[in-house]
Amino acid sequence: MAETLQPVRGTRDLIGDDQRRHAHVIETSRRISALYGLEEWATPIFEETRVFARTLGDTSDVVTKEMYTFEDRGGDSVTLRPENTAGVCRALISNGLTQSLPQKVFYAGPMFRYERPQKGRYRQFHQIGAEIIGSPEPLADAEVIALGWHILQALGVSEQVALELNTLGDTASRDAHRASLVDYFSAHRDALSEDSRDRLARNPLRILDSKDEGDRRLVAGAPTISASLTSEAAGFYDGLRTHLARFGVPFRENPRIVRGLDYYNHTAFEFVTDQLGAQGTVMGGGRYDGLVAQMGGPQVPAVGWAAGVERLAMLIGAPPDRTAPVAVVPMGGEAEEAAAVEVMQALRRVGVRAEMAYRGNMKRRMERANRIGARAAVIIGGDELARGVAQIKHLDSGTQVEAPLETVAERLQ
Ligand code: ATP
Ligand code: MG
């Protein structure tokens, strides 16, 4: 092979600091989700194509341009998951869990979208997500958003993000809004991008999500949903804002938040930052009451969000340092090495990170202890072994004490 092998365009290796940041985001969100009663689900990273094709919406960017879809060797069409809400709903139905509601679900894992790679935008990326399935009350929307906010606080990034909130209303509100959008954009048809002229015919709401500069100027003047809300939808939105205040989650209303996928109703929200350039949305979600029924299950209301792990990993400060290890240093032969292994395992059993080089003289081993940032070295030579003791050298202060072998672990705990 002439050229050095590289990862596929838009994919990344997670090693060293990158992996530590990534793991910190996932471990923190997993821990906070458990406090809210969520259980973690892991669904397959590929599904039958129809799990996504119809549910995400025939006109969404994800379905029309971004899916990794292929025929497997048996001739079935499968798709690498571009998101996980459809997969969770599929799993809810497949496992008969529509009979045991509510289900509160947390997930973390890789997603795949064929996009133009850039900072914060990859072809394999990772999401954490939360879904509360089976609850029609706006209190569920508020709680799942409060969970998102809690995670952002625990990650130390809440100062850098803002919650933008909107309502998409119910079906009647959306129909009325759609009609007013068609009127407005039809009057400006010539100024729309080609994509948006197509959206005007197929799904005018989608134009509100367009990233085209010219479209965005038009969108700024477009009628918002508020004038079209039914009293029921307006009441739901009032309830959500009241509950969010009780949870202590600050928000600002933004009537332009529409979300990229078709299955949302009522609540739509994004946590955004101005620190990541064009890739400013770190977490997004909303209510999707129609999705489970659309997939062939019963009518099940649900609300949730997903967040980009890479974008969060870029926002956090340095992840917490691993605690400094203890280096175990045998000096001599077999017997010293055997005693060293015993001490090392005793240290690990009491929860102390401990390492020992597989070979090398005293000087080499002490150099290695420094290289791995050890806080102490436990030195076991022939003389020590004969007396059943070890030398504990504290590497930051340089002080050295002698201790019976069986007390070493306890002293360094
Ligand atoms: P964007 O507007 O940035 O394309 P989106 O609306 O497509 O985002 P969602 O489908 O709502 O994103 O996914 C939730 C989150 O997943 C996003 O807010 C973002 O943090 C992250 N995300 C989405 N696509 C990518 C990607 N290609 N690479 C990295 N993170 C991504
Ligand atoms: Mg996108």
Side-chain angles (χ1 to χ4, degrees):
M1 220 165 286
E3 280 173 52
T4 314
L5 290 170
Q6 296 296 333
V8 170
R9 183 168 146 79
T11 70
R12 302 194 312 149
D13 299 310
L14 292 172
I15 296 174
D17 188 57
D18 288 334
Q19 167 59 13
R20 275 193 292 276
R21 289 167 170 275
H22 194 94
H24 181 64
V25 169
I26 292 175
E27 281 157 19
T28 303
S29 50
R30 181 175 278 142
R31 175 171 60 80
I32 306 294
S33 302
L35 300 177
Y36 286 69
L38 275 67
E39 271 201 73
E40 185 162 356
W41 289 14
T43 61
I45 64 165
F46 62 105
E47 297 271 357
E48 285 182 40
T49 297
R50 63 192 173 121
V51 168
F52 307 110
R54 271 180 305 127
T55 56
L56 306 194
D58 296 336
T59 57
S60 71
D61 279 357
V62 170
V63 171
T64 55
K65 304 182 195 143
E66 298 173 2
M67 290 209 307
Y68 276 93
T69 296
F70 58 96
E71 226 173 72
D72 69 12
R73 286 169 192 273
D76 294 321
S77 180
V78 296
T79 295
L80 302 185
R81 62 184 187 190
E83 55 93 60
N84 205 27
T85 301
V88 164
C89 290
R90 197 273 308 138
L92 182 89
I93 298 169
S94 309
N95 292 279
L97 294 171
T98 55
Q99 301 305 310
S100 350
L101 299 174
Q103 290 285 334
K104 300 181 181 181
V105 180
F106 170 79
Y107 63 81
M111 309 292 157
F112 306 85
R113 297 184 191 180
Y114 193 80
E115 302 205 66
R116 196 168 68 76
Q118 50 201 291
K119 183 185 168 205
R121 192 176 294 286
Y122 310 98
R123 290 183 175 173
Q124 173 171 336
F125 63 102
H126 298 76
Q127 287 182 338
I128 51 168
E131 320 282 1
I132 297 183
I133 306 170
S135 307
E137 298 84 3
L139 185 52
D141 306 52
E143 186 169 38
V144 89
I145 293 173
L147 165 60
W149 178 240
H150 198 152
I151 290 170
L152 296 169
Q153 285 178 315
L155 289 171
V157 304
S158 58
E159 308 266 281
Q160 304 169 68
V161 301
L163 169 58
E164 305 208 322
L165 187 67
N166 191 23
T167 179
L168 306 175
D170 49 17
T171 311
S173 318
R174 286 182 94 164
D175 289 347
H177 186 213
R178 186 176 298 112
S180 62
L181 288 175
V182 170
D183 284 350
Y184 173 81
F185 286 120
S186 299
H188 297 90
R189 198 167 191 286
D190 293 346
L192 282 175
S193 69
E194 202 180 315
D195 273 352
S196 284
R197 280 201 291 273
D198 186 45
R199 293 178 181 120
L200 182 56
R202 285 150 58 90
N203 189 346
L205 271 173
R206 238 325 101 53
I207 301 174
L208 301 179
D209 211 18
S210 170
K211 293 189 167 79
D212 177 89
E213 271 304 315
D215 287 352
R216 298 201 70 84
R217 275 194 296 276
L218 276 184
V219 164
T224 63
I225 185 122
S226 49
S228 308
L229 286 184
T230 62
S231 65
E232 206 193 327
F236 189 97
Y237 192 38
D238 280 342
L240 171 60
R241 284 175 294 191
T242 304
H243 293 306
L244 273 180
R246 289 179 185 153
F247 276 107
V249 182
F251 61 88
R252 61 179 184 235
E253 293 178 73
N254 179 352
R256 302 296 162 207
I257 301 286
V258 288
R259 311 290 306 131
L261 305 174
D262 264 359
Y263 51 59
Y264 289 103
N265 64 322
H266 286 301
T267 311
F269 64 91
E270 290 183 352
F271 283 94
V272 297
T273 176
D274 55 10
Q275 323 234 323
L276 296 177
Q279 276 58 249
T281 308
V282 294
M283 182 184 287
R287 177 163 281 279
Y288 50 96
D289 291 340
L291 181 56
V292 176
Q294 200 182 325
M295 295 178 85
Q299 173 60 44
V300 175
V303 59
W305 52 255
V309 175
E310 285 80 2
R311 294 186 195 176
L312 289 171
M314 282 190 275
L315 278 188
I316 61 176
D321 271 345
R322 297 209 290 169
T323 52
V326 168
V328 183
V329 179
M331 275 164 51
E334 284 270 317
E336 291 81 356
E337 192 177 79
V341 167
E342 213 167 289
V343 168
M344 177 166 72
Q345 289 304 86
L347 282 161
R348 291 170 176 168
R349 274 194 293 272
V350 298
V352 175
R353 184 179 148 207
E355 293 184 49
M356 181 181 91
Y358 302 123
R359 56 181 297 175
N361 58 24
M362 169 87 169
K363 181 161 172 276
R364 275 288 174 76
R365 287 174 187 268
M366 290 306 287
E367 278 166 9
R368 185 178 150 76
N370 283 317
R371 208 167 50 242
I372 64 173
R375 62 185 161 102
V378 177
I379 302 161
I380 304 170
D383 167 54
E384 280 85 10
L385 189 56
R387 290 186 291 119
V389 301
Q391 303 294 334
I392 299 176
K393 182 165 186 179
H394 294 279
L395 295 179
D396 24 0
S397 61
T399 56
Q400 188 164 318
V401 293
E402 190 173 285
L405 282 172
E406 63 279 8
T407 66
V408 167
E410 192 186 315
R411 280 167 176 265
L412 285 171
Q413 205 176 351

